Amino acid sequence: MTKLTKQDIKLELTKNPKEKPDQSALGFGQIFSDHMFQMDWTPEKGWHNPRIEEYSPLSLSPANATLHYGQAVFEGMKAYIAKGEAVLFRPQENFKRLNKSAERMALPQLDEEFALTALKELLKVDKDWIPTADGTSLYIRPFMFAADEYLGVKAGEKVKFLIILSPSGAYFKDGLQPNKIFVEKEYVRAVRGGTGFAKAAGNYAGSLLGQQKAAKLGYAQTLWLDGVEQKYVEEVGAMNIFFKVDGKFLTPELNGSILPGITRDSIIQLLKHNGESVEERKVAIAELYEAAENGKLEEIFGSGTAAVVSPVGELFDGERKVVVNNFETGQSTKDVYEQLTGIQLGKVEDPFGWVEKVEE
Ligand code: PLP
Ligand code: COI
């Protein structure tokens, strides 16, 4: 199959550009830019018909395989304006992970280089949609799903890949204020050998009931425990998690059921670069309760593309409640947030070469 290049991307620009949103009132993932990227896959043709076209609804059969069996994967990344130019943060990592997710869900592999080229072309067209107000960015959602009209259970033979863009503000309505997290002991999110490491649509569907339960009790998200013993911390609904205990940073090791977060990896590298001690290992929830009792649980924060760095002020498992740092954002959490967003926005040095310009 021939390798796709930039020249293969058909441009069909909208005749009805939309009004840009008020940047001071941006929520998360509610508004979409003027254009989207789309291409199709079949076993015979491979990926074909790449196009940038008006952002518009898709027409799907009621027998669409994904609606029934959930064969879908996605990514989340962001574009920023840094020193007047559109930039991305470690975008290759997202397409690498998308391919790992696709493999697990029996979807076809993308040419990662072409996917990034397609994203950059889309961003050139919709560059004016990248917001610049404090705490805002253009959230990028690449996704792939089976588009077959067929009710038998089998891997799709008509697959679509799209990229849509959403100017967004903070994922949590309280921004950098601490969140309350509910420790879930009834339901589990993922098990070894399952799909936890993949950014698969169904992982999120399976988490919603726990999320609703947490919300009813006034908690922003669920902290998932391991699917076997419910003893070890895994991750939060839409982010990985870090604990500062007795001066050291701990985060659950990647074990196949946790999403290998790109923000997680970046923060581990940043902390080590700063000379901090970071341990990636099993973190028992009991260990954290004990640290809290001994006054050693200093800070907790979540990490994710949408969530950025999100302080956690309270853990509650239905019986036991732990308040962290008097429900105030800790200094290390603030520092990590400042350093990470500083690199992303070109305000502080990027010793890792993580920031990539959209237009060279
Ligand atoms: N864990 C889950 C379940 C997520 O949905 C996300 C968000 O993408 C993360 C962790 C953080 O991953 P990343 O830092 O790559 O955005
Ligand atoms: C992200 O951080 O990009 C996510 O995908 C989290 C969530 C919105 C699903």
Side-chain angles (χ1 to χ4, degrees):
M1 263 157 249
T2 53
K3 194 170 157 62
L4 291 170
T5 67
K6 186 157 81 179
Q7 283 69 38
D8 295 311
I9 302 174
K10 224 185 304 156
L11 262 183
E12 292 163 17
L13 299 188
T14 180
K15 294 189 178 63
N16 303 300
K18 295 181 278 201
E19 220 171 276
K20 307 283 186 307
D22 171 3
Q23 292 196 14
S24 65
L26 283 176
F28 176 81
Q30 293 157 342
I31 294 165
F32 299 94
S33 74
D34 281 327
H35 298 93
M36 62 187 188
F37 173 83
Q38 184 170 185
M39 65 178 173
D40 303 291
W41 181 91
T42 61
E44 300 76 34
K45 289 192 186 170
W47 288 109
H48 60 277
N49 197 15
R51 56 211 188 265
I52 289 172
E53 58 195 9
E54 185 175 71
Y55 175 91
S56 53
L58 302 174
S59 164
L60 295 178
S61 155
N64 169 273
T66 301
L67 296 180
H68 298 268
Y69 308 125
Q71 198 193 0
V73 296
F74 69 96
E75 267 307 321
M77 51 213 290
K78 282 176 172 174
Y80 313 83
I81 297 292
K83 297 182 194 136
E85 293 192 84
V87 298
L88 291 160
F89 183 72
R90 308 186 73 187
Q92 292 85 357
E93 296 301 317
N94 290 90
F95 290 116
K96 219 188 274 174
R97 186 171 66 188
L98 187 64
N99 265 345
K100 290 200 177 125
S101 302
E103 183 186 26
R104 178 63 183 85
M105 302 307 287
L107 284 160
Q109 293 290 289
L110 281 173
D111 172 347
E112 292 165 24
E113 198 185 326
F114 178 68
L116 181 53
T117 299
L119 170 59
K120 287 182 175 174
E121 291 306 299
L122 177 63
L123 287 171
K124 284 184 204 168
V125 172
D126 275 352
K127 184 176 173 202
D128 292 349
W129 283 87
I130 306 177
T132 51
D134 233 19
T136 66
S137 57
L138 186 67
Y139 185 75
I140 300 164
R141 173 53 62 87
F143 62 106
M144 192 194 293
F145 66 96
D148 302 61
E149 184 177 26
Y150 178 61
L151 290 182
V153 179
K154 75 170 174 80
E157 295 191 348
K158 281 187 188 165
V159 175
K160 281 188 176 293
F161 172 70
L162 285 92
I163 307 175
I164 57 174
L165 307 174
S166 175
S168 293
Y171 187 67
F172 293 112
K173 65 176 180 2
D174 293 334
L176 200 62
Q177 294 309 305
N179 275 301
K180 293 173 23 171
I181 303 282
F182 189 76
V183 181
E184 179 57 55
K185 295 197 293 189
E186 185 182 359
Y187 308 116
V188 298
R189 174 185 178 275
V191 290
R192 221 176 310 128
T195 59
F197 70 89
K199 220 161 157 55
N203 290 344
Y204 295 81
S207 75
L208 295 175
L209 190 59
Q211 173 70 25
Q212 278 181 338
K213 181 173 146 189
K216 268 191 215 140
L217 294 167
Y219 288 77
Q221 291 226 329
T222 307
L223 177 66
W224 296 103
L225 301 178
D226 76 273
V228 180
E229 299 175 272
Q230 291 190 282
K231 220 167 128 182
Y232 300 101
V233 172
E234 297 241 305
E235 61 182 323
V236 184
M239 52 193 195
N240 296 111
I241 190 142
F242 287 79
F243 306 94
K244 188 175 182 200
V245 178
D246 201 16
K248 280 189 198 160
F249 293 87
L250 307 180
T251 192
E253 66 192 4
L254 300 178
N255 58 359
S257 56
I258 297 176
L259 191 80
I262 293 157
T263 321
R264 173 189 178 280
D265 179 73
S266 308
I267 290 174
I268 292 171
Q269 291 195 48
L270 273 177
L271 288 170
K272 288 187 176 167
H273 180 80
N274 297 346
E276 301 286 355
S277 158
V278 189
E279 291 178 13
E280 291 178 70
R281 60 166 171 84
K282 282 187 171 175
V283 181
I285 189 76
E287 175 186 346
L288 298 171
Y289 290 152
E290 197 187 317
E293 267 170 29
N294 298 333
K296 291 187 171 167
L297 180 59
E298 296 163 19
E299 296 184 35
I300 307 182
F301 60 87
S303 71
T305 300
V308 194
V309 174
S310 239
V312 175
E314 183 183 315
L315 295 179
F316 178 57
D317 69 2
E319 294 161 72
R320 207 153 175 167
K321 190 175 282 186
V322 168
V323 175
V324 189
N325 197 38
N326 297 319
F327 210 79
E328 282 167 21
T329 304
Q331 193 55 47
S332 297
T333 306
K334 284 185 199 159
D335 291 346
V336 170
Y337 176 88
E338 288 300 329
Q339 207 176 351
L340 181 70
T341 57
I343 291 175
Q344 289 165 337
L345 296 169
K347 290 182 181 161
V348 305
E349 198 207 340
D350 170 17
F352 308 95
W354 284 338
V355 174
E356 178 156 334
K357 286 183 190 165
V358 169
E359 294 186 68
E360 280 313 324

